[in-house]
Amino acid sequence: TKTLWATELFGQWDYLIYLIHREQDEIHEYLNSLRKEFPGYLLSYELLFAYREYKYAFMTEGMKRAG
């Protein structure tokens, strides 16, 4: 499982973490291992799955030219 990026949030959730893996079961195993390593910190989580990723760009070509 790879972590694409993470950020701290305000509101219902404390953090938003983007994980990448082909198998959903592997993500659950990874989160369970985090719960064992950091007991009391990961109290609950919510998963949203993306089945296709066409392109992920932090900076578009237009932003690069404008800079």
Side-chain angles (χ1 to χ4, degrees):
T1 301
K2 294 182 182 180
T3 302
L4 182 60
W5 63 273
T7 187
E8 190 172 5
L9 302 173
F10 297 100
Q12 180 181 359
W13 303 105
D14 294 327
Y15 297 97
L16 173 64
I17 303 171
Y18 281 79
L19 302 173
I20 299 174
H21 203 284
R22 290 190 177 272
E23 300 295 328
Q24 292 180 18
D25 291 342
E26 294 289 329
I27 290 181
H28 285 287
E29 288 177 19
Y30 177 71
L31 290 171
N32 285 333
S33 71
L34 285 177
R35 289 181 102 155
K36 289 178 184 174
E37 190 168 337
F38 303 103
Y41 287 97
L42 186 57
L43 303 177
S44 66
Y45 61 89
E46 184 174 305
L47 298 175
L48 301 172
F49 292 100
Y51 293 99
R52 288 185 194 199
E53 182 180 339
Y54 293 101
K55 182 175 180 180
Y56 194 92
F58 289 103
M59 184 176 286
T60 65
E61 292 299 319
M63 291 170 68
K64 290 179 187 176
R65 288 191 296 270

